[in-house]
Amino acid sequence: MRILIDNGHGENTPGKCSPDKRFREYKYNRVIAQRVHDILDSKGYDVKILVPETTDISLKERVRRANSEYTKTSGKAILVSIHCNAAGMGEWKNAKGWSIWTSKGQTKGDKLADEIYKVGSKIFPMKGRKVLSDFKDGDGDYESNFYILANTKCPACLIENFFMDNEKDCKFLLSPEGIEAITALHVDAIITINDEFNKNNLKSKILVGETKKKEGPHGEKRSNYLSDNLKKLGFKIIRLKTGTPPR
């Protein structure tokens, strides 16, 4: 499964900063996106930053890129859009907290958002940070037809990583602890989602003649860490071989 990381906004986007100008959203989103990318890539996951540019790319172009990746992977892609929230412009506000959004109604992004919400609900309260929830439809995510959510073909969600115009939230965002926690949220949730998607490909190998490949059927990514974690919990791991004999 291909993981698409969308880092919101750009250096030319008006506003999108803390009242004291110490925090620039476009820059912060790219820091988190790059950290998440590098960790997932080092673990062997198929991950791609949707907007490598520092300038803002239109929502229409972002959607085009995401849908192109969805087609290339035969529908095996997800999108996580990284943002920070704001309650107004130019002065400190009282609104605070972390939230996650999907498009309206029952969508393919709901399961993705549910998993990320679970991780956020564990990580942030322990650090004294507020998690915002909307359980009107039975889950904790908020719903809105944001362009990138409503128009991408792949399961997608948008994360608002706290309020840049709340002094305490902003301080947390800029702290090493905050950067580490927000990075861990994305990484841990995406790994769980990816391993669930690939749960039938536990450390699988493809053998074609004398050629060996560490992957699942039809080029799918295999799940490396789910097997390791099950083994640590005391489960016995054995290998089941299936195959087509020479004809």
Side-chain angles (χ1 to χ4, degrees):
M1 182 175 71
R2 182 158 299 163
I3 302 148
L4 304 175
I5 308 295
D6 174 48
N7 36 321
H9 306 299
E11 62 187 0
N12 56 325
T13 309
K16 304 297 181 184
C17 62
S18 63
D20 61 6
K21 304 295 191 295
R22 289 191 306 123
F23 183 96
R24 293 290 304 278
E25 186 185 355
Y26 92 90
K27 186 178 291 187
Y28 191 84
N29 293 341
R30 280 159 176 75
V31 167
I32 298 298
Q34 193 64 57
R35 285 170 62 91
V36 173
H37 172 277
D38 292 349
I39 292 171
L40 291 174
D41 183 64
S42 71
K43 292 179 179 292
Y45 289 92
D46 184 1
V47 57
K48 182 173 183 177
I49 292 178
L50 196 65
V51 180
E53 300 93 337
T54 58
T55 53
D56 199 0
I57 300 300
S58 71
L59 292 172
K60 184 176 181 180
E61 173 60 15
R62 290 171 188 259
V63 166
R64 187 200 68 77
R65 293 181 186 185
N67 288 341
S68 175
E69 295 296 331
Y70 183 81
T71 300
K72 289 177 185 176
T73 59
S74 301
K76 296 168 185 173
I78 61 170
L79 182 141
V80 177
S81 188
I82 299 174
H83 289 257
C84 294
N85 218 334
M89 295 294 290
E91 58 184 35
W92 296 110
K93 301 288 185 178
N94 293 324
K96 61 183 178 180
W98 176 93
S99 60
I100 186 165
W101 296 73
T102 59
S103 50
K104 291 183 177 180
Q106 296 298 311
T107 69
K108 293 184 292 184
D110 287 342
K111 187 175 181 180
L112 172 63
D114 286 347
E115 197 58 50
I116 297 174
Y117 177 83
K118 287 178 189 175
V119 178
S121 296
K122 291 178 182 178
I123 289 178
F124 296 130
M126 291 189 299
K127 298 184 179 298
R129 310 318 307 158
K130 185 177 182 180
V131 172
L132 303 175
S133 309
D134 179 10
F135 283 101
K136 292 175 184 175
D137 61 347
D139 53 37
D141 64 75
Y142 289 81
E143 294 186 355
S144 183
N145 284 329
F146 293 134
Y147 189 91
I148 196 161
L149 300 181
N151 292 281
T152 48
K153 296 177 181 177
C154 53
C157 65
L158 185 149
I159 300 172
E160 294 279 16
N161 289 306
F162 300 100
F163 282 76
M164 69 185 95
D165 54 2
N166 177 284
E167 286 190 84
K168 291 184 178 179
D169 273 7
C170 187
K171 183 178 179 180
F172 178 72
L173 284 166
L174 291 171
S175 69
E177 179 189 26
I179 292 170
E180 185 64 35
I182 291 168
T183 301
L185 158 78
H186 290 81
V187 170
D188 293 351
I190 289 170
I191 285 177
T192 299
I193 294 160
N194 187 90
D195 286 353
E196 175 67 21
F197 182 87
N198 291 325
K199 63 184 178 181
N200 294 322
N201 301 330
L202 302 179
K203 284 202 168 180
S204 56
K205 295 180 181 179
I206 297 296
L207 310 178
V208 181
E210 295 182 355
T211 302
K212 298 180 182 180
K213 295 182 179 180
K214 295 180 179 180
E215 60 184 30
H218 310 296
E220 291 179 1
K221 288 284 185 179
R222 68 179 194 166
S223 176
N224 295 315
Y225 301 101
L226 187 54
S227 293
D228 294 340
N229 289 332
L230 288 171
K231 192 172 182 180
K232 289 177 183 178
L233 291 171
F235 289 91
K236 183 179 180 181
I237 305 298
I238 62 174
R239 182 169 296 280
L240 172 66
K241 183 186 180 300
T242 63
T244 302
R247 292 189 175 94

